[in-house]
Amino acid sequence: MPNKILIVEDTESLALLYQSYLIPTGMHSDIAFTGQEALDYLANNKPDLIMLDVMLPDMSGMDILAQLPVNDRPKVVVLTAHASKEMAVDAIRYGAADFIEKPVDAERFRITVNNALKLNSLSETVEKYQSRYENGRFCELIGSSAPMQSVYQIISNAANSKATVFITGESGTGKELCARAIHQCSDRNKKPFIAINCAAIPKDLIESEIFGHVKGAFTGATNSREGAAGMADGGTLFLDELCEMDLNLQSKLLRFIQTGCFQKVGSEQQQQVDVRFVCATNRDPWLEVQAGRFREDLYYRLYVIPVQLPPLRQRGRDVIQIAEALFSRIANEEGQTFDGLSEDAKHHLMTYSWPGNVRQLENMIRNTVVLNNTPWIEKQMFPPFPQSNMPHEPVMATQAATPLYSASPSIETTNLLRSSDIEPLWIVEKRYIEKAIAACNDNVPKAAALLDISPSTIYRKMKTWEQMAEQAY
């Protein structure tokens, strides 16, 4: 859509001249000859840019500039034949993007307009970025740890693609929040985000939930009903706990994904929709395929862009960031005030393994807020943390997420090392990467995905290893 420019100029010949300057650019322009005409126009229209003359018959251009809303205002370039340093300062103080003197030639006019529009576009980009990632937040996800930075990067790169995203991770790690972040970052964000939990819906109802049904399709179907697939048209369909879906329904889902067409239960009419698929599971989907509980062809169709969410115990100080955000939100919901956590409370949160991940943390925080009406949270206010059989892992901000797939062997470690046991770090890294590649049947891209590095990094390291081996001989 072409940019819309409002030219506010009381001299008709000049206004038409400025309008002619913009004809080669393809921009649409309108003219207001008085200040009141300009205000009336702005009450019903939102131009991308205002070229504003200062000396108008009924008011000063500065008066119009001062009346523009502070938020969501169009960019303004001030035009005047009586320029002064004070006027320029006032124009910028009131929010003008630029200030030019009359007379102005076509080239200068067009350059000024283009620069102001570029500034407008840059401001929108910055606002969009800040709304997505600011102060350790990415959309609704919270955390600045290295594993989460990798997740944010994958989301940003994959958001506008139609490729299916497959999210894996333990229960409570925020798989639906991750799916929502993908939707929010995509160009589908104005359309619906529809979530279906395949584990929470009875087996005999899930087909109707996804595809909908017509009246009389089964006992109790007294009215026709739109399913999640139809409601998500143009947007995103999130299938949570996908590995819980019945095998017979998996075949229908595969056809829907391949063609974009489906039939409501009890209907013979096909319906076409445009849907972006995001799915999630807390299981290892490949092990489910091997166990015969998940169709292999559906796995290959869906497992295009994998996103593995790290458990909370591997996310370092993210625990504190998430806890503070949850305390603030829950305290507000309960009509209380939250000022902060003591150092003992932070240390206690950091040293616990959180087997239930963020969901467990949220429940603990709500318990603490409800039972302790105080703005400052101390360690002794926390309820007893249940102990699990899960081995405790040190909470380190730089610790990478352990791959969901258990095929890759871990590096052998011991509590005590003798100096004779210590090897050069590149040798340890080389051995680990080679084991990962072998575990992936020599599939370097797959190994790279599990190691959370790019395939080019592995190839570059291989070249380096070859050179070091040649130098050794």
Side-chain angles (χ1 to χ4, degrees), residues 52-56 59-63 65-66 76-102:
L52 178 63
D53 185 24
V54 172
M55 303 300 291
L56 297 170
M59 65 180 72
S60 167
M62 294 299 180
D63 295 333
L65 194 54
V76 178
V77 174
V78 171
L79 294 159
T80 182
H82 309 284
S84 67
K85 184 184 294 183
E86 291 75 15
M87 185 177 289
V89 170
D90 285 343
I92 300 302
R93 182 163 59 86
Y94 281 122
D98 204 349
F99 182 95
I100 56 176
E101 294 183 58
K102 297 178 183 179

Side-chain angles (χ1 to χ4, degrees), residues 319-320 342-354 379-380 382-385 387:
V319 176
I320 306 302
S342 70
E343 289 303 314
D344 279 350
K346 291 180 181 179
H347 179 73
H348 196 48
L349 294 175
M350 289 280 291
T351 54
Y352 184 57
S353 63
W354 298 107
K379 171 185 173 181
Q380 60 268 24
F382 294 146
F385 291 176
Q387 299 301 313

Side-chain angles (χ1 to χ4, degrees), residues 5-17:
I5 315 295
L6 173 62
I7 299 170
V8 185
E9 170 61 64
D10 62 319
T11 305
E12 184 176 0
S13 59
L14 279 178
L16 295 173
L17 180 64

Side-chain angles (χ1 to χ4, degrees), residues 3 5 27 48-49 75-77 97-98 110-127:
N3 292 113
I5 315 295
M27 298 178 190
D48 299 296
L49 177 65
K75 287 288 181 284
V76 178
V77 174
D98 204 349
R110 284 194 285 264
I111 289 174
T112 302
V113 167
N114 281 326
N115 288 342
L117 290 173
K118 285 179 182 177
L119 185 62
N120 199 31
S121 177
L122 179 62
S123 298
E124 291 176 358
T125 301
V126 170
E127 289 173 6

